[in-house]
Amino acid sequence: MTVATSALGRDLQLVHAAQWLYSVNGEPFVPGAGDPYAGLVRGFDEDPAPFHAALAERGPWRSRLGHWVAGPAALPALLGRPDLVVAAAVPQPEPWLPAPDRQRTTAGRDLAHRGGRGALRAAAAPLRRLVTATAAGIAPGPADLIGAVAAPLAAAGYAALLGVEDDRRAAFAAAVTDTAPCVDALLCPQTLAVTGRAAAGVRALRGLLAPSDDAETRLVLAVAGTRAATDLLGETLLSLLDRPGEWTRLGTDPTHAASAVRAAVPPQGPWHLHPLTALAPLEAAGVRIGAGDHVTLVPGPGAAAPAPYARLLLPGARAVAAEALRLLAARFPHLRPDGAPVRARRAPVTRRLVRMPALLGEEETR
């Protein structure tokens, strides 16, 4: 282990220890009311609803972790602020987001162009071809709908959207798998081993994506777009497991796939928390936030997606998820649960599913 790796591991442990400490104590080592934001970002609670309820009417207020936190009541005062950009609040050995100044100027426009409707129309044929080929390789019977179905289908879809050459698609899918925790790692430290794999995955994606003027945008789509598509497809499949009538409808009405994906997506979009940083001093709801301060937006149920940069991921993610869902329903007329779904720990931003046992049937599964 190198000195740099050892130092990174120490820093990650210290941040996560602080999250745990403040989540259960009023002050360090002093019993008292815990910090709900610290409890939320530590990422170890199966039901984060109590933390969201505690944050709903607050803010902006300063967590004991040093971050400004804005719940649903405070969001209107912060929406659309150009000096609030997506940024990590946790050490990142291999950054994958555009530089803050680029986000404030042209990165959002580039992301809208590269992942928007025009780009989706241009990539429609390869998207269908690659997702069809991937779906054809999924066998009937017991399956993990995340690792064996949603993740490879999303990777195939984004390989098409990003123009990854056929002989590089397997390496692209492997790199995307390694970067699965990257979005959550913006707020919640991952283990050192997971962090190392994620950093290697980001480096691999840089090498796999052809050099271009929009290379940083394509990297965001590879990391966060594929993550969003996997999550949207996973949540949609979860919502359909106990609804055989809806699954049958998908097989007979291909246009229903897009509606099913939209119905399964939370109104705030693919991210449940939005890690931002202020590039300049600003005031919101009587609170002065300094340049360089971390600000986390916490939308509540029914809130519109508050972070435009994250919202720009949705068109591509929805298109990939809907195409994959349509092909799955056509390939497998029957879908049944085969065990309890499992969500990742240390995943407060995405709350991503990591396992969903099911039976995929060409004939009736029992």
Side-chain angles (χ1 to χ4, degrees):
M1 180 181 294
T2 66
V3 173
T5 301
S6 179
L8 173 63
R10 180 199 61 214
D11 291 344
L12 294 173
Q13 286 181 328
L14 288 173
V15 174
H16 208 217
Q19 292 174 347
W20 275 91
L21 182 65
Y22 285 120
S23 70
V24 296
N25 292 309
E27 293 295 341
F29 312 113
V30 177
D35 183 322
Y37 173 71
L40 190 60
V41 297
R42 70 183 179 181
F44 268 73
D45 293 85
E46 292 186 7
D47 181 13
F51 296 124
H52 278 271
L55 295 171
E57 301 304 323
R58 294 198 191 187
W61 64 283
R62 195 151 203 167
S63 163
R64 296 187 183 106
L65 293 173
H67 302 183
W68 289 100
V69 184
L75 291 185
L78 292 168
L79 295 180
R81 294 293 186 99
D83 288 325
L84 283 176
V85 299
V86 182
V90 171
Q92 303 286 301
E94 198 67 40
W96 53 273
L97 286 166
D101 283 341
R102 286 270 298 121
Q103 288 189 47
R104 182 165 54 177
T105 54
T106 59
R109 181 195 64 198
D110 291 347
L111 188 58
H113 174 73
R114 198 69 172 85
R117 293 180 180 177
L120 293 173
R121 285 194 295 270
L127 171 62
R128 179 161 295 186
R129 175 177 65 84
L130 292 185
V131 175
T132 299
T134 303
I138 299 171
D144 172 13
L145 294 184
I146 302 303
V149 178
L153 288 171
Y158 270 84
L161 293 182
L162 297 173
V164 177
E165 297 174 2
D166 285 353
D167 61 352
R168 293 188 165 195
R169 283 198 292 115
F172 176 83
V176 163
T177 298
D178 287 340
T179 64
C182 279
V183 173
D184 291 299
L186 297 174
L187 277 179
C188 181
Q190 308 297 298
T191 65
L192 185 58
V194 169
T195 299
R197 288 195 296 271
V202 172
R203 290 192 294 270
L205 287 173
R206 285 201 185 98
L208 289 166
L209 298 172
S212 65
D213 293 339
D214 60 353
E216 63 181 8
T217 299
R218 298 173 78 224
L219 180 61
V220 170
L221 288 170
V223 174
T226 308
R227 176 74 266 142
T230 304
D231 294 340
L232 296 190
L233 181 54
E235 295 294 344
T236 306
L237 289 169
L238 180 62
S239 72
L240 294 169
L241 275 177
D242 291 315
R243 299 162 65 195
E246 280 292 293
W247 186 256
T248 300
R249 181 182 173 187
L250 285 170
T252 58
D253 179 10
T255 63
H256 186 51
S259 299
V261 170
R262 285 183 177 273
V265 179
Q268 70 268 19
W271 292 5
H272 298 268
L273 302 175
H274 297 266
L276 309 173
T277 291
L279 298 185
L282 58 92
E283 289 192 11
V287 172
R288 184 170 179 80
I289 298 171
D293 284 355
H294 294 296
V295 182
T296 301
L297 305 186
V298 186
Y309 199 72
R311 190 165 59 238
L312 293 173
L313 299 171
L314 278 174
R318 281 175 172 157
V320 169
E323 182 65 18
L325 186 66
R326 184 187 68 79
L327 290 168
L328 281 172
R331 170 90 169 80
F332 300 105
H334 306 287
L335 175 70
R336 298 289 184 274
D338 193 32
V342 179
R343 294 189 183 273
R345 293 190 182 275
R346 304 190 190 223
V349 179
T350 66
R351 297 187 206 162
R352 58 193 175 93
L353 289 156
V354 290
R355 189 168 182 273
M356 196 192 315
L359 294 172
L360 289 168
E362 293 176 327
E363 297 180 357
E364 181 64 44
T365 55
R366 299 186 184 278

